[in-house]
Amino acid sequence: MCGIAGLLVPAQSLATAALTQRARGMAAALRHRGPDDSGVWVDADAGIALAHTRLAIQDLSPAGAQPMVSPGGRYRVVFNGEIYNFAALRRDLTAAGVSFRGGSDTEVLAAGVEHWGVEATLAKARGMFAVAVWDVRGRRLHLARDPLGEKPLYYGAVPGVGVLFGSELKALRAVPGMTTAIDRRALAGLLQYGYVPGPLSIHRGTYKLPPGVLLSLDCAHGPPDDVAPWGRRRGVRLTPFWRLADVAAAGVADSGADDEAGRIDGLDATLREVIGEQLVADVPVGAFLSAGLDSVTVTAIAQAITPRPLRTFTVAFDDPRYDESEAAAGIAAHLGTEHTTLAVTGRDALEVIPGLPRIYDEPFADPSQVPTCLIARRAREHVTVCLSGDGGDEIFAGYNRYLFAGSAAGLAARLPGPLGRLAGRGVLALPPQRWDRLAGAATTVLPPLRRLWRPRMGEKLHKLASVLDAGGPAMVYDALMSYWPRGTLPLRDAATPPPSWPPARLEGARALLDECMLWDGLRYLPDDNLVKVDRASMAVALETRVPLLDRRVVEYAWHLPLSMKVRDGRSKWILRRLLDRYVPPALMDRPKSGFSVPVDDWLRGPLRDWADALLAPERLAGEGLLDADAVSRRWREHLGGRRNHGLALWTVLMFEAWYEALPAALPVSAATTWQGGEAMACVER
């Protein structure tokens, strides 16, 4: 795992020393991603500089250093990530007459690019990666990102500077003249969903490269002056080499019948192959182990195919509502792993918060970022690589909201618009706490109602009320995913909407469940879940690997019948049956608890002074970005206990903390013209 960066300026516009200095500045900003080594390659005659910071995982010798030259000298490569099938690719290349001097996957990638071409090599490579390839002969810059978006890559064309790219925005901001104007549309997306939806970034004119896409820039006549990923641009070509939407469509069209034993055997064999590849490293490897189904499955299979005890790590929270350490320890004992419980107090969690703007250098507001940072920091004291169970919910239908969305969409369809609005207003008239008390009293008087009882029933009723008038299944799911109800975003420019949903429709979807999983795979997974894990782990130079997001596992999951994902109201049915082979069901018989923190309570308690300062009306009014009155109204309701607005307020707080941490005040851009379905208009089909 590493950091990559680079810049492309007009040929001979900067001397070698000046271009080198800029590239070194970009690398220095990414030092946390690669503390073991760094390197820069510059060609001032062509106007190109590549920078790399190295976290040595494969081939720890100097032969694995980057930037790397291809065997014939045509290409220069900087690479972040892992190619898990590099040994097989190396054998194919060796058989074709290619010689190697080291043992790294980057060297295999560089040789593959020269032998097969960039696009063909990407299609063959299985792994997580962001890569930049400079074609010396053709004067083309190629940028690519792995199929699911595990590794980040930002890029943009800055007037008067050139084309910049890097693993994190801080690398781009290290270049003098970088445009740091805030994009209002990106800010709207952050407030709505808790993250900036791609391909936007928080800075105008800077973008996230979409997952599974190759961006090629023809620089024979100088760097392109516009690289926006919509419309057609001179010298700019975006080509998908793997598309989740295509995989999903093929899967639902050919899911076949319920061959239960055969399907479970197939998944077992696929995961054993994938996890076996991902255990390969020249440094210590461990696994995150909560008591959740996904991490236990990954850990159980990893231990089953590993001759030595696997190092496993669980966080023990002092708040029993979020602590799974006892259950995880029991599972670890059964599996025979070398288990470490990492004790974390509420004070530890609170101390992480001031550093979040540095770790997530684009504003990010998923509160589970806090425990993720803590476990990454503690695990790094013991290992350099950790397997993670992320991705299982998105491909095996694990989120409770998937089932809730189908029920809510059905209810909304049966209620005429005015009736739905009236019912919604009736529910919202009482605060969640009042509904909790009423529900508790009702179950006491009428015990049969207890089977309908759920924790925090009031909040769930409020969420249902917000979707009754959403306007179609896609918008029902959008409402479930929103921190602020659509139309209530606290922006000064109220006309600025967030990026529209859905990002893609699924032809032939068997149920709303299919579309929800696709939407999450296209947006929530790469822009929230994987951002959370990547930034938290790379802040401490810990490589995380996510076996459940190997393209073979994803493709297998999409070809499953829905009945093998959800059955009798239980999610991830096939994973449960597979895990029965490794772990007694009694050890897994516990409710899903998630991986979060008590934001509502913290904001009324130990974080109140911090939040008060960031949400001060005069501060917000002076910045000119947010509606100070709307934010203050929510803050008063939250402090008074009338409503729980913790998650909505967290989006504002994370933006304000990030904004405050920047070295200088930023100008504000006009809203971009991007619309949801247009982002990939120039991608060649």
Side-chain angles (χ1 to χ4, degrees):
M1 202 72 72
C2 308
I4 67 172
L7 65 158
L8 186 65
V9 301
Q12 301 179 337
S13 63
L14 287 177
T16 298
L19 198 54
T20 300
Q21 183 180 18
R22 292 190 179 187
R24 285 177 175 166
M26 299 180 85
L30 299 174
R31 186 69 176 172
H32 57 286
R33 296 185 71 94
D36 296 331
D37 195 9
S38 65
V40 167
W41 176 83
V42 169
D43 182 350
D45 287 340
I48 180 71
L50 302 178
H52 184 262
T53 62
R54 184 184 185 195
L55 175 62
I57 301 294
Q58 303 283 2
D59 188 354
L60 309 187
S61 75
Q66 301 183 43
M68 190 172 288
V69 61
S70 65
R74 177 173 176 176
Y75 297 97
R76 299 295 189 276
V77 176
V78 285
F79 175 77
N80 166 33
E82 299 287 346
I83 304 297
Y84 299 123
N85 64 331
F86 79 98
L89 297 179
R90 181 185 175 114
R91 287 193 295 271
D92 292 343
L93 289 165
T94 300
V98 178
S99 298
F100 293 90
R101 61 187 182 87
S104 73
D105 54 348
T106 307
E107 187 178 3
V108 172
L109 181 73
V113 165
E114 190 164 73
H115 185 74
W116 294 311
V118 178
E119 190 173 343
T121 300
L122 293 172
K124 293 173 181 289
R126 296 196 300 265
M128 55 175 183
F129 53 82
V131 59
V133 177
W134 173 250
D135 182 348
V136 175
R137 186 191 308 165
R139 291 207 173 185
R140 290 185 179 87
L141 176 65
H142 302 283
L143 304 176
R145 191 175 175 204
D146 65 72
L148 277 301
E150 292 182 57
K151 293 294 103 187
L153 190 56
Y154 293 87
Y155 71 100
V158 180
V161 177
V163 173
L164 310 177
F165 67 88
S167 297
E168 297 180 23
L169 282 174
K170 56 173 64 76
L172 280 65
R173 288 197 294 261
V175 177
M178 162 64 184
T179 302
T180 53
I182 293 174
D183 191 319
R184 287 184 183 272
R185 188 135 174 131
L187 176 56
L190 169 72
L191 296 174
Q192 187 82 48
Y193 306 116
Y195 57 86
V196 175
L200 298 179
S201 86
I202 194 64
H203 296 313
R204 181 182 60 186
T206 302
Y207 310 99
K208 303 180 182 81
L209 186 64
V213 167
L214 167 66
L215 169 65
S216 299
L217 304 179
D218 185 347
C219 309
H221 303 290
D225 55 9
D226 188 351
V227 293
W230 47 80
R232 294 194 175 273
R233 304 287 186 271
R234 179 188 65 82
V236 179
R237 180 185 179 194
L238 287 96
T239 308
F241 59 90
W242 192 92
R243 284 168 49 90
L244 180 60
D246 291 345
V247 169
V252 300
D254 186 33
S255 55
D258 291 3
D259 173 16
E260 294 184 3
R263 300 276 190 167
I264 296 170
D265 287 344
L267 180 59
D268 195 2
T270 301
L271 285 174
R272 280 175 168 261
E273 180 182 10
V274 167
I275 293 171
E277 289 179 353
Q278 297 198 17
L279 285 169
V280 176
D282 295 330
V283 294
V285 179
F288 295 131
L289 177 63
S290 70
L293 185 61
D294 301 329
S295 71
V296 175
T297 300
V298 169
T299 301
I301 294 176
Q303 184 59 81
I305 62 178
T306 304
R308 297 180 302 277
L310 182 71
R311 294 294 304 268
T312 54
F313 305 94
T314 298
V315 165
F317 293 103
D318 57 2
D319 187 331
R321 292 176 295 175
Y322 305 98
D323 183 46
E324 297 180 326
S325 60
E326 185 176 347
I331 294 166
H334 171 78
L335 295 174
T337 69
E338 184 181 343
H339 190 63
T340 301
T341 298
L342 309 169
V344 171
T345 67
R347 185 182 188 88
D348 294 328
L350 293 172
E351 289 176 351
V352 167
I353 292 172
L356 292 178
R358 176 186 58 81
I359 295 171
Y360 297 89
D361 70 337
E362 182 173 54
F364 181 74
D366 181 338
S368 62
Q369 64 199 122
V370 175
T372 303
C373 289
L374 285 168
I375 192 171
R377 180 186 301 171
R378 297 293 180 84
R380 184 62 177 91
E381 298 170 2
H382 305 272
V383 296
T384 310
V385 175
C386 246
L387 304 185
S388 165
D390 286 288
D393 287 317
E394 289 84 356
I395 64 172
F396 291 109
Y399 291 122
N400 293 330
R401 62 177 179 258
Y402 291 157
L403 302 182
F404 185 76
S407 301
L411 178 59
R414 291 191 294 271
L415 290 174
L419 185 57
R421 283 191 292 273
L422 181 63
R425 289 170 186 163
V427 171
L428 294 173
L430 293 178
Q433 293 87 341
R434 182 73 62 82
W435 281 114
D436 286 341
R437 289 194 293 270
L438 289 174
T443 57
T444 300
V445 176
L446 298 172
L449 292 178
R450 288 174 184 165
R451 64 186 182 87
L452 301 176
W453 170 259
R454 297 291 185 275
R456 306 178 78 170
M457 181 68 81
E459 291 188 16
K460 291 178 171 59
L461 287 172
H462 271 236
K463 181 63 79 172
L464 176 61
S466 71
V467 307
L468 289 178
D469 189 36
M475 296 311 295
V476 165
Y477 194 63
D478 176 75
L480 290 175
M481 296 297 290
S482 296
Y483 287 169
W484 292 79
R486 188 167 285 270
T488 68
L489 293 182
L491 293 168
R492 284 282 292 272
D493 181 3
T496 303
S500 59
W501 275 71
R505 297 308 304 265
L506 178 55
E507 190 72 28
R510 298 161 294 189
L512 181 59
L513 173 65
D514 277 335
E515 296 206 281
C516 291
M517 287 190 292
L518 176 60
W519 297 335
D520 275 356
L522 291 171
R523 182 167 287 169
Y524 175 75
L525 186 63
D527 293 335
D528 185 315
N529 225 3
L530 294 175
V531 169
K532 173 184 65 182
V533 175
D534 175 80
R535 305 306 189 278
S537 60
M538 293 312 297
V540 293
L542 174 73
E543 175 174 296
T544 50
R545 299 179 177 179
V546 190
L548 296 180
L549 292 182
D550 183 278
R551 65 172 73 174
R552 289 162 291 179
V553 180
V554 174
E555 290 164 1
Y556 192 93
W558 271 107
H559 279 82
L560 292 171
L562 282 182
S563 61
M564 299 201 74
K565 294 183 180 180
V566 178
R567 186 175 299 186
D568 300 327
R570 299 199 76 189
S571 62
K572 293 193 278 197
W573 184 89
I574 189 171
L575 271 189
R576 296 179 192 278
R577 300 292 74 79
L578 171 59
L579 191 57
D580 288 346
R581 299 179 174 185
Y582 297 91
V583 176
L587 289 179
M588 299 299 300
D589 187 18
R590 58 191 309 278
K592 184 182 180 78
S593 65
F595 196 53
S596 194
V597 291
V599 171
D600 291 330
D601 297 338
W602 281 359
L603 293 181
R604 294 188 184 103
L607 291 181
R608 178 168 179 173
D609 290 344
W610 170 77
D612 265 332
L614 290 175
L615 301 179
E618 59 276 12
R619 172 197 174 97
L620 300 182
E623 292 170 354
L625 291 165
L626 301 178
D627 183 337
D629 291 338
V631 173
S632 295
R633 184 164 54 251
R634 291 280 178 128
W635 184 223
R636 289 193 301 271
E637 289 179 351
H638 185 81
L639 289 177
R642 297 191 297 277
R643 299 281 173 87
N644 284 326
H645 294 311
L647 294 179
L649 291 166
W650 193 253
T651 66
V652 178
L653 288 164
M654 285 294 97
F655 173 74
E656 289 297 319
W658 171 85
Y659 191 88
E660 183 178 63
L662 287 173
L666 300 179
V668 181
S669 78
T672 69
T673 57
W674 177 66
Q675 301 293 326
E678 298 174 359
M680 299 299 291
C682 63
V683 171
E684 299 199 1
R685 305 297 180 189

